Amino acid sequence: MHNIRFDFVCQRHVPLYEHLCNQYLERSEFNISIGAESEPQTSKIRYFIEAFAPQAQLESLADDIASDFLLSVWLLDTHIQRIEQHSGQRKPFNIKPLHSGLPLNFCQHCQPKFGDNQHPSFGNINLQCHHCMGHEKLSRDEKSLTQTDIAAMANRLLSHKSLPLPILGITLWLTPPAAILSSTIQPSTISQNADEQLTNSSQTNASMTKTIKYQRPRILVCNPNSLNSHFIVNDSQVLALSSIEKPLLRVRPSSEHPSLLAPLYDIQFAENRLLVILTEVLRQKGINWLHVTSDIEPHTSQEALLNEPLRLASINQHWLPITTLSDGSIPLPTNVTCLHDEHHYQDDQHTFKVQSTKTDINWQVSDNGAKSSTSALTLPPVLASSCAEDSNTITNDITTSLCALNAAVLRCDPNKNHHKAQFVKHAAVLYFSQQNACQIVTLDSQSNPELFFQLPTLPTSGYEICHSLSESPQKSLLDKFKQLFPAEYNQLLDLHIQADDGALSQLMAVATLIIGAYPVETAQRVTVTELADKFIALAMSHHGNNAPRIDFPLTKGAAHRSLNWCKTLGTLMSFKLAGETNLAKLAFAFHDSFADYLSHWVEHLDQNIGVKQLVIAGSEFANPVLTERVQLRIGKNFPLVVNPLLDLDGVNIAIGGLYLKQRRR
């Protein structure tokens, strides 16, 4: 007889593991106990199952556990060890009802039956499974589907090249939807209507611009065995794609792929029963992947609007959501004093509302397109110095960065009770966002905030960018560039930057045109997002760590430091004029040099305030090259801090607002 303990170390709560622990507790023949332990410093949670039985039975139990505990993207490590005595409990975990992680859509018990074309139950979307209870997660419309219906869907997709699935709020495409759009909506069509509706032409053009605005293509993989033939993925990405969460990951296609022409793609495996069956039917017909677009219509439900797959980024050896769209909660942190009961944060698409209780912080996410009054709830907080209530207020411009800083350092240790207020000190945040200002903000020994650096936004047109360059010391470089590379120069003149394009993405977009990375023969007006994706994809394709030095000189303004972006772009022009043809090397050099400059700036801050916690946050860190170079250049001397329980840019901003020293308006 032996006492054995099975450990599952997770980054955050995994409802499936709690559910399985409860199920194993019912197996009385093993004398089982279960438990969950938290690590306050890292926020890790360790689920465990303890069993007392003869070795042969324990080996059988180990096989069952290995089969049932499906891979979660939040699983960090597993252990099996001999123990002297049990420390767990004999009562089940209290799992919150209707948790978004339970039931699963399918598991290893039912998916091989309804999802394998060789099985008699193939296509039975209603197949009951008492392990994952996935049949209970089907909507009324999904339950009504038969195998014949789903086969008809596949045939319609093959014949019509597209398949709307209002049940799921998506449309599937055989070919890139942008190509279909351009073939069905021609400029001539607009001009015919222009004479009839001259007064509405501006609205029509605005609507068309919004309709055809570039979005990173999303791919549904039908044949996982063909994944490495079409995309550049590593082992950790393959495991994440195969996990129970079925996330979306940002990857680049294989070099010179004949049909995957976009620079980057968001890819995923089938995440529900309907897609599992449908993709299997299509796989049999030789379809390896499909394009996916989300359908947002006036009657779209709030649940459908937020039912987007989990979009992940790899940060500091952790997978983190870029923006969390589901409601949730975390234990109330104990290392910093919570100052407010609720806070709201709103970006272009979603509103995040958080509330604190004595034990938890809860959040709700709503879509801004839904009919609600949430916009009225968003109050920009007024920050005040920690020295006195009547001291000068700090500009609201650093509010979001401070929220990101606060949220990242939060940890929970129920064994520690502080008798006096605890605030974040000796800390800095690198907050680079596509939604908000890209900044470096610090908190000194007195928790006083200061804006050290803010990345400037570029002029809104390529003409203005070129004008600024011509008015700077880079004029001679610009003149030579214009003479030797007229096509690239004209591309730059045609560039149009939207107000909601992130500052770092803007800079990378212009850099893409300067190095000549975007085809000059295209007549389509290219967007900042697509150009930035192209630049990132180039950097990802670079082999090696050696690269030229790109200048990122600081400028000192009246309030804070900024970047002399003309000098940065001038450096890229000089390499282009010198005959550098390795575009991947230049794109990589941009990322590596920027990270190196950040490292020097952080070292300067450390000398002034003593940086004990360096936070990275913001959606721009979904860029894997930027994150990797920052980790390499800075992470060795200043361990980078993220909150493994939160996201990069969304819920974390709302929660961080609970800890702001602010006055209500």
Side-chain angles (χ1 to χ4, degrees):
M1 301 288 283
H2 304 280
N3 272 321
I4 297 295
R5 171 166 156 152
F6 303 87
D7 287 315
F8 299 87
V9 183
C10 301
Q11 179 178 322
R12 56 175 71 186
H13 282 279
V14 180
L16 173 66
Y17 291 0
E18 297 177 2
H19 170 69
L20 290 172
C21 284
N22 289 350
Q23 285 191 334
Y24 274 85
L25 195 59
E26 299 174 359
R27 300 179 66 167
S28 57
E29 70 271 22
F30 294 103
N31 189 19
I32 285 179
S33 58
I34 62 174
E37 301 170 344
S38 60
E39 299 179 10
Q41 297 302 317
T42 62
S43 295
K44 295 177 183 176
I45 184 167
R46 182 187 301 268
Y47 296 106
F48 62 85
I49 296 177
E50 299 166 325
F52 180 69
Q55 181 172 341
Q57 291 186 3
L58 289 174
E59 290 176 355
S60 175
L61 177 66
D63 291 339
D64 291 342
I65 289 177
S67 174
D68 288 340
F69 277 73
L70 300 179
L71 177 66
S72 169
V73 77
W74 312 126
L75 179 65
L76 302 176
D77 201 2
T78 59
H79 302 287
I80 302 177
Q81 59 182 329
R82 187 189 299 271
I83 58 175
E84 294 298 325
Q85 59 183 10
H86 288 203
S87 60
Q89 62 186 24
R90 302 234 195 285
K91 63 178 182 179
F93 292 126
N94 182 21
I95 303 177
K96 294 182 179 179
L98 301 179
H99 195 288
S100 59
L102 286 175
L104 295 181
N105 289 292
F106 52 85
C107 69
Q108 82 283 9
H109 294 284
C110 57
Q111 191 273 338
K113 298 176 183 177
F114 72 79
D116 185 349
N117 68 83
Q118 299 298 315
H119 196 278
S121 296
F122 174 61
N124 181 8
I125 197 172
N126 291 291
L127 183 72
Q128 295 192 7
C129 180
H130 70 275
H131 295 278
C132 67
M133 309 302 290
H135 57 282
E136 294 185 355
K137 205 165 186 177
L138 297 170
S139 67
R140 179 184 302 176
D141 290 333
E142 288 174 296
K143 290 179 180 179
S144 66
L145 294 174
T146 65
Q147 180 183 358
T148 303
D149 294 331
I150 300 176
M153 289 180 179
N155 291 331
R156 178 181 175 184
L157 175 61
L158 294 173
S159 61
H160 291 74
K161 310 302 181 186
S162 67
L163 175 67
L165 290 175
I167 296 175
L168 304 178
I170 61 174
T171 296
L172 304 178
W173 309 76
L174 279 184
T175 54
I180 294 174
L181 180 64
S182 62
S183 66
T184 56
I185 304 178
Q186 299 291 342
S188 59
T189 305
I190 301 175
S191 62
Q192 291 173 6
N193 295 333
D195 293 335
E196 301 174 8
Q197 297 180 341
L198 184 61
T199 57
N200 295 329
S201 61
S202 60
Q203 296 178 358
T204 302
N205 291 335
S207 176
M208 284 299 301
T209 301
K210 184 176 181 181
T211 301
I212 64 175
K213 184 177 180 181
Y214 176 84
Q215 292 184 340
R216 186 176 302 108
R218 174 176 160 189
I219 293 288
L220 172 63
V221 177
C222 300
N223 185 2
N225 293 330
S226 70
L227 183 66
N228 288 298
S229 301
H230 305 291
F231 299 97
I232 307 298
V233 291
N234 56 38
D235 291 343
S236 64
Q237 289 173 319
V238 173
L239 290 175
L241 289 167
S242 305
S243 68
I244 59 177
E245 288 81 11
K246 297 295 182 291
L248 275 172
L249 298 186
R250 186 179 307 180
V251 302
R252 66 185 182 93
S254 300
S255 300
E256 299 181 0
H257 195 285
S259 55
L260 294 171
L261 305 180
L264 295 176
Y265 288 86
D266 288 332
I267 68 172
Q268 70 174 142
F269 291 170
E271 60 174 332
N272 56 61
R273 290 189 171 200
L274 173 55
L275 291 181
V276 166
I277 300 170
L278 185 58
T279 54
E280 174 63 6
V281 174
L282 292 167
R283 184 196 65 80
Q284 290 179 269
K285 298 178 182 295
I287 305 300
N288 289 320
W289 75 86
L290 298 169
H291 296 268
V292 183
T293 55
S294 298
D295 299 330
I296 300 178
E297 301 176 359
H299 62 273
T300 304
S301 68
Q302 176 72 10
E303 180 182 0
L305 287 169
L306 299 176
N307 193 26
E308 284 284 323
L310 189 66
R311 295 176 185 267
L312 295 181
S314 180
I315 309 289
N316 203 15
Q317 285 76 55
H318 290 90
W319 287 111
L320 285 183
I322 300 173
T323 300
T324 298
L325 297 183
S326 58
D327 298 347
S329 66
I330 59 172
L332 183 69
T334 56
N335 64 323
V336 184
T337 301
C338 187
L339 301 176
H340 309 287
D341 296 330
E342 66 176 52
H343 185 254
H344 304 81
Y345 166 66
Q346 180 174 303
D347 62 19
D348 290 343
Q349 295 180 302
H350 304 100
T351 296
F352 307 87
K353 176 182 178 181
V354 298
Q355 293 179 314
S356 63
T357 67
K358 292 182 179 180
T359 58
D360 300 285
I361 292 177
N362 303 294
W363 67 80
Q364 296 83 39
V365 185
S366 59
D367 188 272
N368 290 346
K371 296 179 180 179
S372 67
S373 58
T374 52
S375 59
L377 299 175
T378 305
L379 301 176
V382 180
L383 302 184
S385 170
S386 60
C387 298
E389 288 189 10
D390 59 352
S391 61
N392 294 331
T393 58
I394 299 167
T395 173
N396 283 336
D397 292 342
I398 64 173
T399 296
T400 308
S401 296
L402 282 176
C403 288
L405 195 163
N406 286 335
V409 302
L410 297 177
R411 298 294 184 269
C412 182
D413 187 350
N415 297 320
K416 287 187 178 181
N417 295 313
H418 299 290
H419 298 290
K420 63 178 182 178
Q422 301 290 315
F423 302 107
V424 183
K425 303 175 182 178
H426 297 291
V429 59
L430 307 180
Y431 179 68
F432 297 128
S433 173
Q434 295 171 323
Q435 297 277 353
N436 304 296
C438 297
Q439 299 175 332
I440 301 177
V441 174
T442 63
L443 288 171
D444 62 15
S445 60
Q446 302 299 316
S447 298
N448 292 321
E450 182 180 356
L451 175 60
F452 172 77
F453 168 83
Q454 179 167 314
L455 195 65
T457 56
L458 300 186
T460 57
S461 71
Y463 176 84
E464 294 175 278
I465 292 172
C466 291
H467 178 72
S468 297
L469 287 168
S470 66
E471 295 291 318
S472 75
Q474 316 307 314
K475 183 181 187 305
S476 60
L477 286 172
L478 180 67
D479 291 341
K480 292 178 183 178
F481 181 80
K482 177 180 179 181
Q483 180 180 1
L484 294 178
F485 304 102
E488 286 83 352
Y489 178 77
N490 288 331
Q491 271 189 316
L492 182 55
L493 288 177
D494 289 339
L495 179 64
H496 180 69
I497 293 177
Q498 302 287 346
D500 57 352
D501 290 326
L504 186 56
S505 293
Q506 294 174 14
L507 193 61
M508 289 192 292
V510 177
T512 305
L513 297 179
I514 287 176
I515 67 175
Y518 196 83
V520 295
E521 61 271 11
T522 179
Q524 179 183 356
R525 170 170 281 185
V526 67
T527 66
V528 165
T529 302
E530 185 175 8
L531 288 172
D533 272 8
K534 179 66 176 179
F535 198 70
I536 295 169
L538 277 172
M540 292 170 69
S541 68
H542 177 69
H543 300 291
N545 292 318
N546 297 324
R549 179 81 166 177
I550 308 297
D551 290 333
F552 287 86
L554 288 176
T555 62
K556 184 67 172 75
H560 61 271
R561 296 163 185 81
S562 188
L563 178 70
N564 182 354
W565 56 268
C566 287
K567 178 64 174 175
T568 302
L569 298 179
T571 307
L572 288 169
M573 284 185 185
S574 66
F575 283 113
K576 179 72 173 176
L577 292 169
E580 179 60 71
T581 58
N582 190 336
L583 304 187
K585 180 189 289 187
L586 290 178
F588 177 83
F590 179 99
H591 287 82
D592 186 58
S593 298
F594 184 51
D596 193 37
Y597 273 89
L598 289 175
S599 176
H600 291 305
W601 300 342
V602 172
E603 289 175 2
H604 171 78
L605 292 173
D606 185 43
Q607 294 174 0
N608 290 340
I609 67 167
V611 178
K612 297 181 180 179
Q613 299 182 95
L614 180 62
V615 170
I616 60 172
S619 54
E620 290 286 12
F621 279 107
N623 175 348
V625 186
L626 175 64
T627 304
E628 177 194 31
R629 302 320 294 176
V630 166
Q631 175 69 42
L632 182 67
R633 292 289 190 178
I634 308 176
K636 294 179 180 178
N637 298 323
F638 301 92
L640 306 178
V641 178
V642 296
N643 192 327
L645 302 180
L646 300 177
D647 54 11
L648 277 176
D649 217 348
V651 171
N652 66 324
I653 307 300
I655 288 180
L658 297 175
Y659 296 83
L660 287 175
K661 295 182 178 182
Q662 64 188 32
R663 289 196 297 264
R664 298 295 187 186
R665 287 185 173 181

